[in-house]
Amino acid sequence: MAKRSIVPFGPQHPVLPEPVHLDLVLEDEVVVEAVPSIGFVHRGLEKLVETKDFKEYVYIAERVCGICSFGHGLGYCQTVEKIMNVEVPPRARYLRTIWMEMSRVHSHLLWLGLLADAMGFESLFMESWKLREKILDMFDATTGGRVIFSVNCIGGVLKDMDDAMLKAITDTCAEMEKELKPIARAFLRDLTVGSRLHGLGVLSAEQANLMGAVGPMLRASGVAYDTRLLGYAAYDELELEPVTAAEGDSFARCEVRIKEIGQSFDLIRQAAAKIPAGPIAVPVKGFPQGEYFTRIEQPRGEAIYYVKANGTKFIDRFRLRTPTTSNIPPMLDMLKGCQLADVPLLILTIDPCISCTER
Amino acid sequence: MKKLAKSPWLLHYDASSCNGCDIEVLACTTPKYDIERFGIINTGDPFQADILLITGGVNSQCEQVVKQLYEQMPNPKVVVAVGICACTGGVFKDCYNIKGGIDTVIPVDVYVPGCAARPQAIIDGVVKALEILEEKRQGYREHAGKGES
């Protein structure tokens, strides 16, 4: 048996925008085991719910993570609305859907850029992020923020979009769809990129289910599971087919995410065409009492929100299970047997969001 | 700003931020905002960095990492606290795990407010940091000159 050595990876590492630490147990160049240690971004946001007004906490929920910010606000609001039996106006549900899908586009493009950067493909990173700026501009125009939006509130949304704005969004989507093509070609057809991604970190459908993988990671292993099919917000009125790939390797994960960007453009178009007129929020009176679970599909996968309220303005317990939490066990499994040089790439293919995970 | 004598390299670390400012820091290096036009390169190595861009309110676990990164950087160096959490603790100020502001752990030269800090503000902060870096470098040079004579 070759001699074992331990290589520390992180918390500060060039490919990681966020700190996570792994102890990699190596035999020569091959990883035998990966032992994670987390807590570098833990802030204790779930505890904060006890000292903040439940309406005010929407802003804290959004700040669980800067990339998935809209989704977290949405998940929290939906849960509290269910407890309080608040009927959200249809227009607000459609607006939420549009923003949610825009978030997905921005998150997936961000991930594509980081993936290219991890491979050392600098120009592809720049191209992906250049394209991402367009969707951020639309966020800026509709909500006034680029990454933190604060447009969700209990009972609806705070800002409306007029017809001109909706048209601008669909036009931008059409434009971005065109510009995405050369980027997608580079990821899916380029030999160099292919040689790094094909056959790397294969996760079978059985294993993915067993380990509890969610989101694009699960769908890339051939399981057609998408929480959006539950029909929250306006998803029940839109046509949606989960994107899957069969291979379960890193390339499949990349492919699924690229196709999901196209799917999001399609959903935005559908929502913009169907959006009904009407109010964007209903007034909410009283305090929540009771408990409820909600599931939504974040860009990284299924996220679960739990709220237990006691009839005062402070909520007893808020629990959030984020997609990265459930994607870490399959990642550790994939790391076993891979080369040391592939570790950064493999970690990136699960699209880790550490600040979600640690809250 | 006077002309730059050197190309300063930049190190970015997320000290328990929400990610919002971090992706904005990265966005600064991409074509639309492009801080590379000041000769800046985003490096991952503290030993080669001149400017530390740091986000978040610092929790007890990453405190040691922040200190270590700061000590590993060669002199002269400047620290830019990006985002309101890095300045004061921001919305996370009341969290049990947050120390509240980078300046509770290491000295900070430039504060960039905002939640999340906009790329324009970050660029402004970095340019201010460049001036401070130049001043510090001048100080070191004079100090070294006296030593020789």
Side-chain angles (χ1 to χ4, degrees):
Chain A
M1 198 181 88
K3 206 180 144 213
R4 290 195 170 190
S5 44
I6 296 176
V7 173
F9 181 91
Q12 196 274 328
H13 191 279
V15 302
L16 297 172
E18 298 169 88
V20 64
H21 179 83
L22 288 175
D23 280 315
L24 300 170
V25 184
L26 302 180
E27 261 177 24
D28 295 334
E29 283 278 300
V30 181
V31 179
V32 188
E33 206 186 346
V35 187
S37 56
I38 55 173
F40 296 96
V41 206
H42 176 64
R43 287 150 285 168
L45 292 184
E46 287 180 357
K47 180 85 177 158
L48 211 56
V49 81
E50 294 165 16
T51 51
K52 296 271 179 200
D53 185 295
F54 75 100
K55 284 182 182 164
E56 205 177 63
Y57 191 79
V58 179
Y59 305 113
I60 309 281
E62 287 215 318
R63 280 160 180 83
V64 164
C65 169
I67 308 176
C68 343
S69 57
F70 187 81
H72 286 314
L74 172 67
Y76 173 76
C77 287
Q78 274 189 6
T79 321
V80 177
E81 282 156 7
K82 288 280 184 195
I83 294 176
M84 300 180 77
N85 286 322
V86 175
E87 188 70 38
V88 180
R91 190 174 177 86
R93 291 196 289 121
Y94 270 85
L95 287 172
R96 282 176 174 182
T97 311
I98 293 174
W99 274 315
M100 191 66 223
E101 289 311 313
M102 282 163 68
S103 294
R104 198 178 315 276
V105 172
H106 123 71
S107 172
H108 281 353
L109 279 171
L110 175 134
W111 176 81
L112 284 174
L114 291 179
L115 180 76
D117 193 39
M119 292 187 281
F121 203 152
E122 196 81 8
S123 58
L124 197 51
F125 161 65
M126 295 290 181
E127 283 296 327
S128 309
W129 280 56
K130 196 173 106 192
L131 186 58
R132 178 176 161 265
E133 286 295 333
K134 292 207 165 158
I135 206 84
L136 292 188
D137 284 345
M138 288 332 287
F139 269 128
D140 211 354
T142 51
T143 69
R146 279 166 52 88
V147 288
I148 303 275
F149 314 118
S150 306
V151 278
N152 267 313
C153 67
I154 311 274
V157 288
L158 293 170
K159 288 192 177 115
D160 201 354
M161 295 183 204
D162 56 11
D163 289 342
M165 185 55 81
L166 284 169
K167 187 168 181 309
I169 290 177
T170 44
D171 286 352
T172 312
C173 287
E175 205 179 301
M176 285 177 73
E177 218 162 9
K178 257 186 229 141
E179 286 174 40
L180 180 67
K181 276 185 186 144
I183 296 175
R185 205 181 307 130
F187 276 106
L188 301 176
R189 300 268 178 80
D190 191 89
L191 267 181
T192 332
V193 176
S195 71
R196 286 301 301 271
L197 296 179
H198 275 297
L200 178 69
V202 180
L203 191 71
S204 68
E206 270 170 43
Q207 235 179 337
N209 263 331
L210 196 70
M211 296 281 209
V214 291
M217 179 112 162
L218 181 64
R219 292 194 282 276
S221 296
V223 184
Y225 177 77
D226 194 322
T227 327
R228 280 178 287 178
L229 294 176
L230 292 175
Y232 62 91
Y235 288 112
D236 50 347
E237 289 160 33
L238 305 177
E239 276 174 40
L240 171 74
E241 185 82 28
V243 180
T244 56
E247 296 85 6
D249 58 357
S250 300
F251 185 80
R253 274 164 231 144
C254 181
E255 196 187 349
V256 164
R257 288 199 178 95
I258 288 177
K259 283 187 183 159
E260 278 190 10
I261 298 176
Q263 185 190 39
S264 294
F265 288 145
D266 182 47
L267 283 168
I268 293 171
R269 247 190 312 267
Q270 286 185 42
K274 275 189 175 175
I275 189 165
I280 53 164
V282 287
V284 175
K285 289 203 180 78
F287 301 117
Q289 181 151 32
E291 54 184 342
Y292 202 81
F293 264 113
T294 320
R295 292 187 291 164
I296 70 162
E297 184 77 13
Q298 284 276 26
R300 286 164 181 76
E302 178 190 42
I304 302 177
Y305 300 83
Y306 168 74
V307 168
K308 186 179 172 200
N310 56 5
T312 66
K313 69 174 184 171
F314 302 116
I315 281 168
D316 259 354
R317 181 85 171 93
F318 170 59
R319 176 86 177 95
L320 162 58
R321 205 240 26 210
T322 59
T324 309
T325 318
S326 31
N327 276 337
I328 283 178
M331 177 194 86
L332 296 176
D333 196 52
M334 285 182 331
L335 282 174
K336 283 175 196 163
C338 83
Q339 295 283 323
L340 176 62
D342 284 332
V343 170
L345 205 55
L346 256 183
I347 293 178
L348 261 185
T349 58
I350 76 159
D351 198 358
C353 183
I354 309 300
S355 61
C356 279
T357 313
E358 298 180 358
R359 301 179 289 284
Chain B
M1 193 177 69
K2 276 188 255 163
K3 99 175 184 247
L4 290 174
K6 289 195 172 160
S7 296
W9 285 15
L10 181 153
L11 176 73
H12 159 239
Y13 185 70
D14 171 354
S16 38
S17 133
C18 76
N19 245 346
C21 296
D22 303 281
I23 55 176
E24 293 295 62
V25 166
L26 276 179
C28 282
T29 65
T30 56
K32 192 170 177 190
Y33 297 102
D34 197 21
I35 48 170
E36 294 190 354
R37 65 198 142 111
F38 299 111
I40 293 169
I41 287 182
N42 186 12
T43 169
D45 187 352
F47 290 99
Q48 297 175 345
D50 305 292
I51 304 173
L52 176 60
L53 279 188
I54 190 155
T55 59
V58 187
N59 68 14
S60 40
Q61 175 127 356
C62 72
E63 183 187 358
Q64 213 47 46
V65 184
V66 172
K67 276 184 189 159
Q68 194 185 343
L69 284 175
Y70 182 75
E71 272 154 30
Q72 282 172 342
M73 283 170 64
N75 278 321
K77 55 194 163 192
V78 282
V79 178
V80 183
V82 177
I84 196 70
C85 314
C87 298
T88 65
V91 284
F92 306 143
K93 199 169 186 166
D94 303 330
C95 293
Y96 59 83
N97 203 21
I98 290 290
K99 299 199 99 69
I102 303 292
D103 53 7
T104 55
V105 183
I106 54 172
V108 175
D109 300 286
V110 183
Y111 296 87
V112 179
C115 182
R118 295 180 79 86
Q120 292 92 332
I122 297 176
I123 295 173
D124 206 25
V126 169
V127 171
K128 283 226 160 57
L130 292 179
E131 284 168 23
I132 297 173
L133 185 68
E134 201 53 43
E135 266 168 39
K136 282 190 178 177
R137 191 173 280 139
Q138 213 64 43
Y140 272 89
R141 221 171 271 150
E142 278 160 22
H143 188 70
K146 269 175 205 161
E148 275 167 20
S149 57

